[in-house]
Amino acid sequence: MYFAYAWPKVLASGMQQRGDEPVVALELDAGLGCLAVVMASSVEIWSTGQHRRLVGRHTRDPEAVAEDGAYLAARWRGGGFARLAVVAAGGRARLFDVVWPNASTPRDADADPAALPDRCELVLRATLTVGPGSIVGMIPTAADDLLDGGHRRMGSLPPMLSPVNEESAAPLNDGVCLSIAGDGDVLLLGTSTGHIVQCSWDARSSGSTGGSSHDVVSRGDPCADGGDHRHGAVIRLDYSTEMRAVAAVMSSGACALLRIDDTMDGIVDGDLVGRAGEKRVAERLRLERWLGEGDSTCASFSPPSRGTVAVGASTGAVRLYRVDSEADYDVHVATPWHVLSPADWGYAPADTGGCADVRWTSNGGAVAAGWWRRGIAAWSANGCRLMCTLRQGGGTAGSHGSDAAGSGSARRDPWEGRVDDA
């Protein structure tokens, strides 16, 4: 049973231009006790103990950002590996080893977050290129620029991005990287052409500068509906090795539930193994059915014991689907078994914006969502709301007329302004 208490903390690293460079990704590795905070030109590593501390930072100069593009997303390898993959808009993914120069012993999955050393370094291990690696000019923009009455416009990329330039991408037809997912064995990249490309976590570029490495293990085109790429780019990905499934959110607002095909030749103990013993997943992905209502913005698998995938929508709702439920295979569209929404508290999509991200707790007991404009909420796995930073009835659709019409305290989050400096 989960009980919510207190309010979320606001962490400030002291960077003067934080307001000009929005956070584009938060990635937690609970085993390592590390939280990666990703912005367009930098990555920060925070401890995850009771007293959160900024312990490391990787920052790029404007020339490097112009060459590689803005950072878009990140993923920890997990499984005790202190390795972080960061996707850049220029078509590349960077692999960083996170090292603690002052640590007497290496970090491992059983390390105590409270004992995290005071300083870590991000050492570039490899730069992976799935497409042309050309400059694409993705520029951070205000979220409201791509919001129309609180809805993310269908066909648009996430709010911090402008459209990509896919010049010279034709040879591999993979476009440029936009999204990332994986676990300790598998690293998947979603591309601007709708493909899913698998690279190696163990890639190492030649030279001390971490030069480009075309270390592609496998690639697939599972989101093409009958060969039609009308759904556009893969802007968000999630992967569950236990459920043998991938959720791919497309720029059109569609969300594809993909399954790993176990009927292919060359399967060893349930896995198609390639060179160096690596699992080949991307080429085996098959479309099982579509999720959502054409307004999807993000997706996240629960732990396998729950067998559920949560799909966030541009309306602010979070729809829960059973991964193993029977679908109507004539239309390949599933029906959610539960819908979580801020509308229950009187908040319209114009108040909160679309769902920016959705995540499950490690045991699947609760799911949390955050919205583009404001607000964070957590629910139990059965749909009971545990916590919400928005006041009940404070939205424009709320029942409290004076609060709904005003722009004072009812229009602010209760925890706004509570900042913990690094």
Side-chain angles (χ1 to χ4, degrees):
M1 186 72 176
Y2 275 80
F3 295 92
Y5 62 93
W7 293 102
K9 290 185 177 180
V10 180
L11 306 177
S13 65
M15 294 183 66
Q16 297 300 317
Q17 296 183 346
R18 168 65 67 88
D20 298 328
E21 190 173 301
V23 173
V24 297
L26 293 172
E27 287 296 324
L28 172 68
D29 189 318
L32 290 173
C34 293
L35 174 70
V37 180
V38 183
M39 290 162 281
S41 65
S42 62
V43 179
E44 297 177 355
I45 305 298
W46 289 74
S47 67
T48 59
Q50 181 178 0
H51 304 289
R52 288 163 172 77
R53 297 176 288 116
L54 176 63
V55 296
R57 178 187 291 145
H58 152 74
T59 304
R60 299 181 297 164
D61 57 35
E63 291 75 16
V65 176
E67 179 180 356
D68 294 335
Y71 286 149
L72 308 179
R75 180 74 61 171
W76 289 101
R77 181 171 184 176
F81 291 94
R83 189 164 299 160
L84 180 70
V86 183
V87 171
R92 297 169 180 153
R94 290 188 165 192
L95 297 183
F96 292 96
D97 284 328
V98 181
V99 298
W100 284 263
N102 298 329
S104 58
T105 57
R107 297 287 297 174
D108 57 48
D110 297 323
D112 180 4
L116 197 69
D118 291 335
R119 183 173 64 90
C120 71
E121 296 178 357
L122 282 78
V123 179
L124 181 61
R125 176 185 178 91
T127 301
L128 308 175
T129 303
V130 302
S134 60
I135 301 173
V136 297
M138 284 191 169
I139 304 171
T141 59
D144 290 345
D145 290 345
L146 290 181
L147 290 171
D148 183 7
H151 294 67
R152 185 174 64 83
R153 295 174 185 169
M154 293 301 97
S156 68
L157 294 174
M160 73 291 299
L161 307 180
S162 60
V164 299
N165 174 5
E166 298 172 14
E167 183 179 0
S168 304
L172 291 179
N173 197 30
D174 286 330
V176 294
C177 306
L178 293 178
S179 53
I180 188 170
D183 62 5
D185 298 319
V186 175
L187 174 61
L188 300 176
L189 302 173
T191 75
S192 58
T193 54
H195 294 76
I196 296 178
V197 179
Q198 180 182 349
C199 292
S200 173
W201 276 112
D202 296 317
R204 184 181 293 276
S205 300
S206 59
S208 59
T209 59
S212 180
S213 171
H214 293 265
D215 203 351
V216 174
V217 175
S218 174
R219 57 168 50 86
D221 188 18
C223 301
D225 197 354
D228 185 0
H229 289 89
R230 60 189 174 89
H231 294 297
V234 181
I235 60 173
R236 298 293 288 270
L237 274 178
D238 198 29
Y239 169 66
S240 173
T241 183
E242 297 88 355
M243 289 187 273
R244 308 186 71 74
V246 170
V249 178
M250 314 300 290
S251 57
S252 67
C255 180
L257 178 63
L258 311 172
R259 291 288 198 157
I260 299 176
D261 185 358
D262 290 328
T263 64
M264 296 179 63
D265 294 335
I267 302 295
V268 178
D269 295 329
D271 289 301
L272 182 62
V273 178
R275 57 182 175 80
E278 290 176 297
K279 299 178 181 179
R280 292 164 58 186
V281 171
E283 66 195 73
R284 299 166 54 204
L285 293 174
R286 303 290 182 266
L287 175 64
E288 180 171 287
R289 59 187 184 269
W290 294 103
L291 308 176
E293 299 179 6
D295 56 0
S296 303
T297 57
C298 54
S300 177
F301 286 107
S302 71
S305 59
R306 294 287 179 184
T308 300
V309 59
V311 180
S314 61
T315 60
V318 177
R319 304 182 181 102
L320 304 182
Y321 297 87
R322 300 290 188 194
V323 174
D324 293 324
S325 64
E326 293 294 330
D328 181 352
Y329 287 97
D330 291 333
V331 293
H332 290 270
V333 176
T335 301
W337 66 270
H338 208 298
V339 178
L340 312 172
S341 174
D344 296 341
W345 272 29
Y347 286 86
D351 297 317
T352 62
C355 187
D357 205 357
V358 58
R359 299 291 179 96
W360 293 84
T361 56
S362 58
N363 64 359
V367 60
W371 295 283
W372 282 122
R373 286 186 173 172
R374 58 174 175 145
I376 301 169
W379 296 267
S380 70
N382 294 322
C384 176
R385 185 171 53 247
L386 304 175
M387 183 274 289
C388 185
T389 63
L390 303 174
R391 289 187 175 92
Q392 186 168 4
T396 57
S399 58
H400 303 275
S402 59
D403 287 344
S407 58
S409 61
R411 302 291 292 176
R412 296 193 301 269
D413 292 330
W415 52 280
E416 184 177 348
R418 303 183 183 186
V419 178
D420 289 353
D421 293 328

